[in-house]
Short mmCIF file of all heavy atoms in Angstrom, two decimals:
data_model
loop_
_atom_site.label_atom_id
_atom_site.label_comp_id
_atom_site.label_asym_id
_atom_site.label_seq_id
_atom_site.Cartn_x
_atom_site.Cartn_y
_atom_site.Cartn_z
N MET C 103 7.25 91.10 100.81
CA MET C 103 7.43 91.74 99.49
C MET C 103 7.39 90.69 98.39
O MET C 103 7.98 89.63 98.51
CB MET C 103 8.79 92.46 99.43
CG MET C 103 8.84 93.72 100.27
SD MET C 103 7.81 95.04 99.61
CE MET C 103 8.94 95.72 98.38
N ASN C 104 6.71 91.01 97.31
CA ASN C 104 6.63 90.09 96.19
C ASN C 104 7.43 90.64 95.02
O ASN C 104 7.01 91.55 94.32
CB ASN C 104 5.15 89.89 95.81
CG ASN C 104 5.02 89.00 94.60
OD1 ASN C 104 5.98 88.32 94.21
ND2 ASN C 104 3.85 88.99 94.01
N PHE C 105 8.60 90.07 94.78
CA PHE C 105 9.48 90.60 93.74
C PHE C 105 9.16 90.07 92.35
O PHE C 105 9.79 90.44 91.39
CB PHE C 105 10.94 90.32 94.10
CG PHE C 105 11.40 91.18 95.24
CD1 PHE C 105 11.56 90.64 96.50
CD2 PHE C 105 11.66 92.52 95.04
CE1 PHE C 105 12.00 91.42 97.56
CE2 PHE C 105 12.09 93.32 96.10
CZ PHE C 105 12.26 92.77 97.34
N SER C 106 8.17 89.14 92.27
CA SER C 106 7.84 88.62 90.95
C SER C 106 6.77 89.45 90.26
O SER C 106 6.31 89.10 89.20
CB SER C 106 7.41 87.15 91.05
OG SER C 106 6.22 87.06 91.80
N ASP C 107 6.38 90.56 90.87
CA ASP C 107 5.45 91.49 90.25
C ASP C 107 6.01 91.96 88.91
O ASP C 107 7.13 92.44 88.85
CB ASP C 107 5.25 92.69 91.19
CG ASP C 107 4.17 93.63 90.71
OD1 ASP C 107 4.19 93.98 89.51
OD2 ASP C 107 3.32 94.01 91.52
N PRO C 108 5.24 91.82 87.81
CA PRO C 108 5.78 92.20 86.49
C PRO C 108 6.20 93.66 86.40
O PRO C 108 7.13 93.99 85.67
CB PRO C 108 4.63 91.93 85.52
CG PRO C 108 3.52 91.39 86.31
CD PRO C 108 3.91 91.28 87.74
N ILE C 109 5.53 94.53 87.15
CA ILE C 109 5.91 95.95 87.11
C ILE C 109 7.27 96.14 87.76
O ILE C 109 8.13 96.84 87.25
CB ILE C 109 4.82 96.81 87.80
CG1 ILE C 109 3.54 96.74 86.98
CG2 ILE C 109 5.30 98.26 87.96
CD1 ILE C 109 2.31 97.29 87.69
N ASP C 110 7.51 95.44 88.89
CA ASP C 110 8.82 95.50 89.53
C ASP C 110 9.90 94.97 88.60
O ASP C 110 10.98 95.51 88.52
CB ASP C 110 8.81 94.69 90.83
CG ASP C 110 8.12 95.45 91.95
OD1 ASP C 110 7.80 96.64 91.75
OD2 ASP C 110 7.92 94.85 93.02
N GLU C 111 9.58 93.88 87.91
CA GLU C 111 10.57 93.29 87.00
C GLU C 111 10.92 94.26 85.88
O GLU C 111 12.08 94.40 85.51
CB GLU C 111 10.03 91.99 86.40
CG GLU C 111 10.28 90.80 87.29
CD GLU C 111 9.75 89.51 86.69
OE1 GLU C 111 9.75 89.39 85.45
OE2 GLU C 111 9.31 88.65 87.46
N ALA C 112 9.89 94.94 85.34
CA ALA C 112 10.13 95.91 84.28
C ALA C 112 11.00 97.05 84.80
O ALA C 112 11.93 97.49 84.13
CB ALA C 112 8.81 96.44 83.74
N ALA C 113 10.69 97.51 86.00
CA ALA C 113 11.47 98.60 86.59
C ALA C 113 12.90 98.16 86.82
O ALA C 113 13.84 98.92 86.60
CB ALA C 113 10.83 99.03 87.91
N GLU C 114 13.06 96.92 87.24
CA GLU C 114 14.40 96.40 87.50
C GLU C 114 15.20 96.29 86.20
O GLU C 114 16.37 96.63 86.16
CB GLU C 114 14.27 95.02 88.15
CG GLU C 114 15.49 94.62 88.95
CD GLU C 114 15.18 93.47 89.89
OE1 GLU C 114 14.37 93.67 90.82
OE2 GLU C 114 15.69 92.38 89.65
N ARG C 115 14.49 95.83 85.13
CA ARG C 115 15.16 95.75 83.83
C ARG C 115 15.57 97.14 83.35
O ARG C 115 16.65 97.32 82.82
CB ARG C 115 14.24 95.10 82.79
CG ARG C 115 14.53 93.62 82.57
CD ARG C 115 13.96 93.14 81.27
NE ARG C 115 12.54 93.42 81.12
CZ ARG C 115 11.57 92.67 81.63
NH1 ARG C 115 11.86 91.59 82.31
NH2 ARG C 115 10.31 92.99 81.46
N GLU C 116 14.67 98.11 83.58
CA GLU C 116 14.97 99.47 83.14
C GLU C 116 16.18 100.01 83.90
O GLU C 116 17.07 100.62 83.34
CB GLU C 116 13.76 100.36 83.38
CG GLU C 116 13.78 101.60 82.52
CD GLU C 116 12.62 102.51 82.82
OE1 GLU C 116 11.49 102.03 82.86
OE2 GLU C 116 12.86 103.71 83.03
N GLN C 117 16.20 99.74 85.21
CA GLN C 117 17.33 100.16 86.03
C GLN C 117 18.63 99.55 85.53
O GLN C 117 19.66 100.21 85.45
CB GLN C 117 17.06 99.75 87.49
CG GLN C 117 18.15 100.19 88.46
CD GLN C 117 18.33 101.71 88.51
OE1 GLN C 117 17.37 102.45 88.37
NE2 GLN C 117 19.56 102.15 88.67
N GLN C 118 18.54 98.28 85.13
CA GLN C 118 19.73 97.60 84.64
C GLN C 118 20.20 98.22 83.32
O GLN C 118 21.40 98.41 83.11
CB GLN C 118 19.41 96.12 84.44
CG GLN C 118 20.65 95.26 84.52
CD GLN C 118 20.35 93.78 84.31
OE1 GLN C 118 19.23 93.41 83.98
NE2 GLN C 118 21.33 92.95 84.49
N MET C 119 19.25 98.59 82.45
CA MET C 119 19.59 99.26 81.19
C MET C 119 20.30 100.57 81.47
O MET C 119 21.28 100.91 80.81
CB MET C 119 18.31 99.55 80.38
CG MET C 119 17.61 98.31 79.88
SD MET C 119 18.56 97.37 78.67
CE MET C 119 18.35 98.44 77.24
N ILE C 120 19.81 101.31 82.46
CA ILE C 120 20.43 102.59 82.82
C ILE C 120 21.85 102.35 83.32
O ILE C 120 22.79 103.04 82.93
CB ILE C 120 19.56 103.33 83.89
CG1 ILE C 120 18.24 103.78 83.25
CG2 ILE C 120 20.33 104.51 84.47
CD1 ILE C 120 17.19 104.21 84.27
N GLU C 121 22.01 101.34 84.16
CA GLU C 121 23.34 101.05 84.70
C GLU C 121 24.31 100.66 83.58
O GLU C 121 25.47 101.06 83.59
CB GLU C 121 23.26 99.94 85.75
CG GLU C 121 22.72 100.48 87.06
CD GLU C 121 22.53 99.41 88.11
OE1 GLU C 121 22.96 98.27 87.89
OE2 GLU C 121 21.95 99.73 89.15
N ILE C 122 23.81 99.88 82.62
CA ILE C 122 24.68 99.49 81.51
C ILE C 122 25.04 100.71 80.68
O ILE C 122 26.19 100.89 80.29
CB ILE C 122 24.00 98.39 80.65
CG1 ILE C 122 23.93 97.09 81.46
CG2 ILE C 122 24.76 98.18 79.35
CD1 ILE C 122 23.06 96.01 80.83
N ALA C 123 24.06 101.60 80.47
CA ALA C 123 24.34 102.82 79.71
C ALA C 123 25.37 103.67 80.44
O ALA C 123 26.30 104.19 79.83
CB ALA C 123 23.04 103.60 79.51
N LEU C 124 25.23 103.79 81.75
CA LEU C 124 26.20 104.56 82.54
C LEU C 124 27.59 103.91 82.50
O LEU C 124 28.60 104.59 82.40
CB LEU C 124 25.73 104.67 84.00
CG LEU C 124 24.54 105.58 84.25
CD1 LEU C 124 24.12 105.48 85.71
CD2 LEU C 124 24.84 107.02 83.89
N ALA C 125 27.58 102.59 82.55
CA ALA C 125 28.85 101.86 82.53
C ALA C 125 29.58 102.09 81.21
O ALA C 125 30.79 101.98 81.15
CB ALA C 125 28.62 100.37 82.74
N ASN C 126 28.82 102.42 80.16
CA ASN C 126 29.40 102.54 78.83
C ASN C 126 29.47 103.98 78.34
O ASN C 126 29.54 104.21 77.14
CB ASN C 126 28.62 101.65 77.86
CG ASN C 126 28.92 100.19 78.13
OD1 ASN C 126 30.06 99.81 78.26
ND2 ASN C 126 27.88 99.39 78.25
N ARG C 127 29.46 104.92 79.28
CA ARG C 127 29.69 106.30 78.87
C ARG C 127 31.04 106.37 78.15
O ARG C 127 31.99 105.69 78.56
CB ARG C 127 29.74 107.23 80.11
CG ARG C 127 28.36 107.70 80.54
CD ARG C 127 28.44 108.48 81.82
NE ARG C 127 29.02 107.64 82.88
CZ ARG C 127 29.04 107.95 84.15
NH1 ARG C 127 28.54 109.08 84.57
NH2 ARG C 127 29.57 107.14 85.04
N PRO C 128 31.13 107.19 77.12
CA PRO C 128 32.38 107.22 76.35
C PRO C 128 33.58 107.54 77.23
O PRO C 128 33.53 108.41 78.09
CB PRO C 128 32.14 108.35 75.33
CG PRO C 128 30.67 108.51 75.26
CD PRO C 128 30.13 108.11 76.60
N LYS C 129 34.65 106.81 77.05
CA LYS C 129 35.89 107.03 77.79
C LYS C 129 37.02 107.18 76.78
O LYS C 129 37.07 106.45 75.80
CB LYS C 129 36.20 105.82 78.68
CG LYS C 129 35.41 105.80 79.97
CD LYS C 129 35.54 104.44 80.63
CE LYS C 129 36.84 104.26 81.39
NZ LYS C 129 36.77 104.84 82.74
N PRO C 130 37.93 108.11 77.04
CA PRO C 130 39.08 108.21 76.14
C PRO C 130 40.00 107.01 76.31
O PRO C 130 40.02 106.37 77.35
CB PRO C 130 39.77 109.50 76.62
CG PRO C 130 39.34 109.68 78.04
CD PRO C 130 37.98 109.06 78.15
N ASN C 131 40.74 106.74 75.29
CA ASN C 131 41.75 105.69 75.33
C ASN C 131 41.20 104.29 75.58
O ASN C 131 41.89 103.44 76.09
CB ASN C 131 42.82 105.99 76.40
CG ASN C 131 43.44 107.35 76.20
OD1 ASN C 131 43.66 107.77 75.06
ND2 ASN C 131 43.70 108.05 77.28
N MET C 132 39.94 104.10 75.21
CA MET C 132 39.41 102.74 75.31
C MET C 132 38.80 102.37 73.98
O MET C 132 38.06 103.14 73.39
CB MET C 132 38.36 102.64 76.42
CG MET C 132 39.03 102.61 77.79
SD MET C 132 37.87 102.22 79.10
CE MET C 132 37.72 100.46 78.90
N VAL C 133 39.12 101.21 73.49
CA VAL C 133 38.62 100.77 72.20
C VAL C 133 37.56 99.70 72.40
O VAL C 133 37.62 98.93 73.36
CB VAL C 133 39.74 100.23 71.31
CG1 VAL C 133 40.65 101.37 70.86
CG2 VAL C 133 40.54 99.15 71.99
N TYR C 134 36.62 99.67 71.46
CA TYR C 134 35.61 98.62 71.49
C TYR C 134 36.24 97.32 71.01
O TYR C 134 36.80 97.26 69.92
CB TYR C 134 34.43 99.03 70.59
CG TYR C 134 33.44 97.92 70.41
CD1 TYR C 134 32.67 97.50 71.49
CD2 TYR C 134 33.29 97.29 69.19
CE1 TYR C 134 31.77 96.47 71.33
CE2 TYR C 134 32.38 96.25 69.02
CZ TYR C 134 31.63 95.84 70.10
OH TYR C 134 30.74 94.82 69.96
N THR C 135 36.16 96.31 71.84
CA THR C 135 36.77 95.03 71.50
C THR C 135 35.74 93.94 71.27
O THR C 135 36.08 92.84 70.86
CB THR C 135 37.71 94.57 72.64
OG1 THR C 135 36.93 94.41 73.83
CG2 THR C 135 38.81 95.57 72.89
N GLY C 136 34.46 94.24 71.57
CA GLY C 136 33.43 93.22 71.48
C GLY C 136 33.32 92.39 72.75
O GLY C 136 32.49 91.49 72.83
N GLU C 137 34.19 92.71 73.72
CA GLU C 137 34.16 92.00 75.00
C GLU C 137 34.19 93.00 76.14
O GLU C 137 34.78 94.07 76.00
CB GLU C 137 35.39 91.09 75.13
CG GLU C 137 35.37 89.91 74.21
CD GLU C 137 36.63 89.06 74.35
OE1 GLU C 137 37.63 89.56 74.90
OE2 GLU C 137 36.59 87.91 73.89
N CYS C 138 33.59 92.62 77.26
CA CYS C 138 33.71 93.42 78.47
C CYS C 138 35.19 93.50 78.85
O CYS C 138 35.88 92.49 78.85
CB CYS C 138 32.90 92.74 79.58
SG CYS C 138 33.06 93.55 81.18
N HIS C 139 35.66 94.70 79.17
CA HIS C 139 37.08 94.87 79.49
C HIS C 139 37.45 94.22 80.81
O HIS C 139 38.63 94.07 81.12
CB HIS C 139 37.43 96.36 79.54
CG HIS C 139 37.64 96.96 78.18
ND1 HIS C 139 38.82 97.52 77.79
CD2 HIS C 139 36.81 97.05 77.12
CE1 HIS C 139 38.71 97.94 76.54
NE2 HIS C 139 37.50 97.69 76.12
N TRP C 140 36.43 93.85 81.59
CA TRP C 140 36.73 93.26 82.90
C TRP C 140 36.54 91.75 82.90
O TRP C 140 37.44 91.01 83.25
CB TRP C 140 35.88 93.93 83.97
CG TRP C 140 36.19 93.45 85.35
CD1 TRP C 140 35.34 92.81 86.19
CD2 TRP C 140 37.44 93.56 86.04
NE1 TRP C 140 35.99 92.52 87.35
CE2 TRP C 140 37.27 92.96 87.30
CE3 TRP C 140 38.68 94.11 85.71
CZ2 TRP C 140 38.30 92.90 88.23
CZ3 TRP C 140 39.71 94.04 86.64
CH2 TRP C 140 39.51 93.44 87.89
N CYS C 141 35.34 91.29 82.50
CA CYS C 141 35.05 89.86 82.62
C CYS C 141 35.09 89.14 81.27
O CYS C 141 34.92 87.93 81.21
CB CYS C 141 33.71 89.64 83.32
SG CYS C 141 32.29 90.07 82.31
N GLU C 142 35.32 89.91 80.18
CA GLU C 142 35.46 89.35 78.83
C GLU C 142 34.19 88.71 78.29
O GLU C 142 34.22 87.90 77.38
CB GLU C 142 36.64 88.37 78.77
CG GLU C 142 37.95 89.10 79.05
CD GLU C 142 39.15 88.16 79.11
OE1 GLU C 142 38.94 86.95 78.98
OE2 GLU C 142 40.26 88.66 79.30
N GLU C 143 33.07 89.12 78.88
CA GLU C 143 31.77 88.70 78.37
C GLU C 143 31.54 89.38 77.02
O GLU C 143 31.83 90.55 76.87
CB GLU C 143 30.70 89.18 79.37
CG GLU C 143 29.30 88.74 79.05
CD GLU C 143 28.91 87.47 79.81
OE1 GLU C 143 29.62 87.10 80.75
OE2 GLU C 143 27.91 86.89 79.44
N PRO C 144 31.04 88.67 76.00
CA PRO C 144 30.77 89.34 74.72
C PRO C 144 29.69 90.41 74.88
O PRO C 144 28.66 90.17 75.51
CB PRO C 144 30.26 88.20 73.81
CG PRO C 144 30.66 86.94 74.48
CD PRO C 144 30.73 87.23 75.95
N ILE C 145 29.93 91.60 74.30
CA ILE C 145 28.97 92.70 74.39
C ILE C 145 28.78 93.33 73.01
O ILE C 145 29.67 93.25 72.17
CB ILE C 145 29.41 93.78 75.41
CG1 ILE C 145 30.86 94.20 75.19
CG2 ILE C 145 29.20 93.27 76.83
CD1 ILE C 145 31.31 95.36 76.06
N ASP C 146 27.61 93.96 72.82
CA ASP C 146 27.28 94.56 71.52
C ASP C 146 27.98 95.89 71.31
O ASP C 146 28.31 96.27 70.20
CB ASP C 146 25.76 94.80 71.43
CG ASP C 146 24.99 93.49 71.39
OD1 ASP C 146 25.59 92.46 71.01
OD2 ASP C 146 23.80 93.50 71.74
N LYS C 147 28.13 96.64 72.42
CA LYS C 147 28.75 97.97 72.29
C LYS C 147 29.32 98.39 73.63
O LYS C 147 29.03 97.75 74.65
CB LYS C 147 27.72 99.00 71.81
CG LYS C 147 26.53 99.18 72.75
CD LYS C 147 25.53 100.18 72.14
CE LYS C 147 24.20 100.19 72.84
NZ LYS C 147 24.19 100.70 74.20
N GLY C 148 30.10 99.45 73.61
CA GLY C 148 30.68 99.95 74.85
C GLY C 148 31.86 99.12 75.30
O GLY C 148 32.48 98.40 74.50
N HIS C 149 32.16 99.20 76.60
CA HIS C 149 33.38 98.58 77.11
C HIS C 149 33.11 97.59 78.23
O HIS C 149 33.99 96.82 78.58
CB HIS C 149 34.32 99.67 77.64
CG HIS C 149 34.53 100.78 76.66
ND1 HIS C 149 34.99 100.56 75.39
CD2 HIS C 149 34.30 102.11 76.75
CE1 HIS C 149 35.06 101.72 74.74
NE2 HIS C 149 34.64 102.67 75.55
N TYR C 150 31.92 97.65 78.82
CA TYR C 150 31.60 96.78 79.95
C TYR C 150 30.21 96.20 79.78
O TYR C 150 29.33 96.82 79.19
CB TYR C 150 31.66 97.55 81.27
CG TYR C 150 33.00 98.17 81.53
CD1 TYR C 150 33.20 99.52 81.35
CD2 TYR C 150 34.06 97.39 81.97
CE1 TYR C 150 34.43 100.10 81.58
CE2 TYR C 150 35.30 97.96 82.21
CZ TYR C 150 35.48 99.30 82.01
OH TYR C 150 36.69 99.88 82.24
N CYS C 151 29.99 95.01 80.35
CA CYS C 151 28.67 94.39 80.26
C CYS C 151 27.73 95.00 81.29
O CYS C 151 26.52 94.98 81.10
CB CYS C 151 28.77 92.88 80.40
SG CYS C 151 29.39 92.33 81.99
N ASP C 152 28.24 95.53 82.40
CA ASP C 152 27.40 96.22 83.38
C ASP C 152 28.23 97.15 84.26
O ASP C 152 29.45 97.21 84.15
CB ASP C 152 26.58 95.23 84.22
CG ASP C 152 27.45 94.29 85.03
OD1 ASP C 152 28.62 94.64 85.32
OD2 ASP C 152 26.96 93.22 85.40
N ALA C 153 27.51 97.89 85.10
CA ALA C 153 28.16 98.91 85.92
C ALA C 153 29.15 98.29 86.91
O ALA C 153 30.16 98.91 87.26
CB ALA C 153 27.11 99.73 86.67
N GLU C 154 28.84 97.08 87.38
CA GLU C 154 29.70 96.44 88.36
C GLU C 154 31.08 96.15 87.76
O GLU C 154 32.10 96.37 88.40
CB GLU C 154 29.04 95.14 88.82
CG GLU C 154 29.35 94.79 90.25
CD GLU C 154 28.47 93.66 90.73
OE1 GLU C 154 27.24 93.85 90.77
OE2 GLU C 154 29.00 92.59 91.01
N CYS C 155 31.09 95.71 86.51
CA CYS C 155 32.36 95.43 85.84
C CYS C 155 33.16 96.72 85.67
O CYS C 155 34.37 96.74 85.86
CB CYS C 155 32.13 94.77 84.50
SG CYS C 155 31.83 93.00 84.64
N ARG C 156 32.46 97.81 85.32
CA ARG C 156 33.14 99.09 85.16
C ARG C 156 33.79 99.51 86.49
O ARG C 156 34.96 99.90 86.52
CB ARG C 156 32.14 100.16 84.72
CG ARG C 156 32.76 101.53 84.54
CD ARG C 156 31.69 102.60 84.52
NE ARG C 156 32.30 103.92 84.52
CZ ARG C 156 32.44 104.67 83.42
NH1 ARG C 156 32.03 104.24 82.27
NH2 ARG C 156 33.00 105.85 83.49
N GLU C 157 33.02 99.38 87.58
CA GLU C 157 33.54 99.78 88.89
C GLU C 157 34.74 98.91 89.29
O GLU C 157 35.75 99.42 89.76
CB GLU C 157 32.44 99.68 89.94
CG GLU C 157 31.53 100.90 89.91
CD GLU C 157 30.25 100.68 90.72
OE1 GLU C 157 30.26 99.84 91.62
OE2 GLU C 157 29.26 101.35 90.40
N ASP C 158 34.58 97.60 89.09
CA ASP C 158 35.68 96.70 89.45
C ASP C 158 36.93 97.00 88.64
O ASP C 158 38.04 97.03 89.17
CB ASP C 158 35.26 95.24 89.23
CG ASP C 158 34.32 94.74 90.32
OD1 ASP C 158 34.13 95.47 91.31
OD2 ASP C 158 33.79 93.64 90.17
N HIS C 159 36.74 97.27 87.35
CA HIS C 159 37.89 97.55 86.49
C HIS C 159 38.54 98.88 86.87
O HIS C 159 39.76 98.98 86.92
CB HIS C 159 37.43 97.57 85.03
CG HIS C 159 38.59 97.56 84.06
ND1 HIS C 159 38.55 98.24 82.87
CD2 HIS C 159 39.81 96.97 84.13
CE1 HIS C 159 39.73 98.05 82.24
NE2 HIS C 159 40.50 97.28 82.98
N GLU C 160 37.70 99.90 87.18
CA GLU C 160 38.25 101.19 87.55
C GLU C 160 39.01 101.10 88.87
O GLU C 160 40.06 101.71 89.03
CB GLU C 160 37.13 102.24 87.62
CG GLU C 160 36.71 102.64 86.20
CD GLU C 160 35.63 103.70 86.18
OE1 GLU C 160 35.01 103.94 87.21
OE2 GLU C 160 35.42 104.27 85.09
N LYS C 161 38.47 100.32 89.82
CA LYS C 161 39.17 100.09 91.09
C LYS C 161 40.53 99.43 90.83
O LYS C 161 41.55 99.81 91.40
CB LYS C 161 38.34 99.18 92.01
CG LYS C 161 37.53 99.96 93.04
CD LYS C 161 36.75 98.99 93.92
CE LYS C 161 35.27 99.27 93.81
NZ LYS C 161 34.43 98.18 94.27
N TYR C 162 40.51 98.46 89.95
CA TYR C 162 41.74 97.75 89.58
C TYR C 162 42.76 98.70 88.96
O TYR C 162 43.94 98.71 89.33
CB TYR C 162 41.36 96.62 88.62
CG TYR C 162 42.55 95.94 87.97
CD1 TYR C 162 43.28 94.97 88.66
CD2 TYR C 162 42.91 96.24 86.66
CE1 TYR C 162 44.36 94.34 88.05
CE2 TYR C 162 43.98 95.61 86.05
CZ TYR C 162 44.70 94.67 86.75
OH TYR C 162 45.77 94.05 86.15
N LEU C 163 42.26 99.56 88.02
CA LEU C 163 43.17 100.51 87.36
C LEU C 163 43.74 101.50 88.35
O LEU C 163 44.92 101.86 88.28
CB LEU C 163 42.43 101.24 86.24
CG LEU C 163 42.03 100.38 85.04
CD1 LEU C 163 41.21 101.20 84.05
CD2 LEU C 163 43.25 99.78 84.35
N ARG C 164 42.89 101.95 89.31
CA ARG C 164 43.36 102.88 90.34
C ARG C 164 44.46 102.23 91.18
O ARG C 164 45.50 102.83 91.45
CB ARG C 164 42.21 103.32 91.24
CG ARG C 164 41.60 104.65 90.83
CD ARG C 164 40.80 105.28 91.94
NE ARG C 164 39.67 104.47 92.37
CZ ARG C 164 38.50 104.44 91.74
NH1 ARG C 164 38.29 105.18 90.68
NH2 ARG C 164 37.52 103.68 92.18
N ALA C 165 44.22 100.99 91.57
CA ALA C 165 45.20 100.25 92.36
C ALA C 165 46.51 100.10 91.60
O ALA C 165 47.59 100.28 92.16
CB ALA C 165 44.65 98.88 92.74
N GLN C 166 46.40 99.84 90.32
CA GLN C 166 47.59 99.71 89.47
C GLN C 166 48.38 101.01 89.43
O GLN C 166 49.59 101.00 89.60
CB GLN C 166 47.15 99.36 88.03
CG GLN C 166 46.56 97.98 87.90
CD GLN C 166 47.62 96.95 87.60
OE1 GLN C 166 48.33 97.03 86.62
NE2 GLN C 166 47.74 95.97 88.47
N SER C 167 47.68 102.15 89.22
CA SER C 167 48.40 103.41 89.09
C SER C 167 49.01 103.81 90.42
O SER C 167 50.08 104.40 90.47
CB SER C 167 47.47 104.50 88.55
OG SER C 167 46.39 104.72 89.43
N GLN C 168 48.33 103.49 91.53
CA GLN C 168 48.89 103.79 92.85
C GLN C 168 50.16 102.99 93.09
O GLN C 168 51.11 103.49 93.65
CB GLN C 168 47.85 103.51 93.94
CG GLN C 168 46.94 104.73 94.17
CD GLN C 168 45.66 104.36 94.86
OE1 GLN C 168 45.56 103.31 95.46
NE2 GLN C 168 44.66 105.22 94.78
N ARG C 169 50.14 101.75 92.62
CA ARG C 169 51.34 100.92 92.78
C ARG C 169 52.52 101.51 92.01
O ARG C 169 53.64 101.50 92.49
CB ARG C 169 51.06 99.48 92.30
CG ARG C 169 50.99 98.50 93.45
CD ARG C 169 51.24 97.09 92.99
NE ARG C 169 50.24 96.62 92.04
CZ ARG C 169 49.02 96.19 92.41
NH1 ARG C 169 48.68 96.16 93.67
NH2 ARG C 169 48.16 95.79 91.53
N ARG C 170 52.22 102.02 90.81
CA ARG C 170 53.29 102.60 89.99
C ARG C 170 53.89 103.85 90.64
O ARG C 170 55.10 104.04 90.61
CB ARG C 170 52.76 102.94 88.59
CG ARG C 170 52.89 101.80 87.62
CD ARG C 170 52.93 102.29 86.18
NE ARG C 170 51.73 103.02 85.82
CZ ARG C 170 50.61 102.44 85.41
NH1 ARG C 170 50.52 101.13 85.29
NH2 ARG C 170 49.55 103.17 85.09
N VAL C 171 53.03 104.67 91.26
CA VAL C 171 53.50 105.90 91.90
C VAL C 171 54.37 105.57 93.11
O VAL C 171 55.42 106.16 93.31
CB VAL C 171 52.30 106.79 92.30
CG1 VAL C 171 52.75 107.96 93.18
CG2 VAL C 171 51.61 107.32 91.04
N ALA C 172 53.93 104.59 93.90
CA ALA C 172 54.64 104.22 95.12
C ALA C 172 55.85 103.34 94.82
O ALA C 172 56.85 103.71 94.38
CB ALA C 172 53.73 103.41 96.04
ZN1 LIG D 11 31.69 92.30 82.50
#
């Protein structure tokens, strides 16, 4: 497989844009700080720099709330 194909790269970039858009779906009780809420990377809009940060942060928040309940 040749991953340096420009069409593959474009598709990969598009996929990444979609993931970032999904990661930044509006959420209640979250304010725009100019930084990713997970890794503190500077961002133009939203709350996370990518979907992975959103997932990691949500996992973290879930773990936190479970700890509080128990
Ligand atoms: Zn991040």
Side-chain angles (χ1 to χ4, degrees):
M103 288 291 277
N104 177 14
F105 288 105
S106 64
D107 187 312
I109 293 167
D110 282 352
E111 275 180 32
E114 203 163 294
R115 261 199 306 277
E116 201 183 310
Q117 183 60 34
Q118 205 180 7
M119 293 295 285
I120 291 166
E121 283 176 9
I122 291 169
L124 289 175
N126 289 312
R127 275 175 301 191
K129 280 168 80 82
N131 305 322
M132 284 189 78
V133 290
Y134 172 68
T135 61
E137 290 178 343
C138 176
H139 280 241
W140 183 242
C141 72
E142 296 175 358
E143 185 96 14
I145 50 174
D146 293 337
K147 60 183 167 67
H149 310 304
Y150 301 103
C151 63
D152 61 24
E154 212 169 297
C155 279
R156 180 197 172 100
E157 279 167 24
D158 284 352
H159 192 215
E160 285 181 346
K161 262 180 240 162
Y162 170 80
L163 292 175
R164 263 198 299 278
Q166 291 271 301
S167 61
Q168 274 160 18
R169 251 202 298 281
R170 271 204 300 276
V171 169

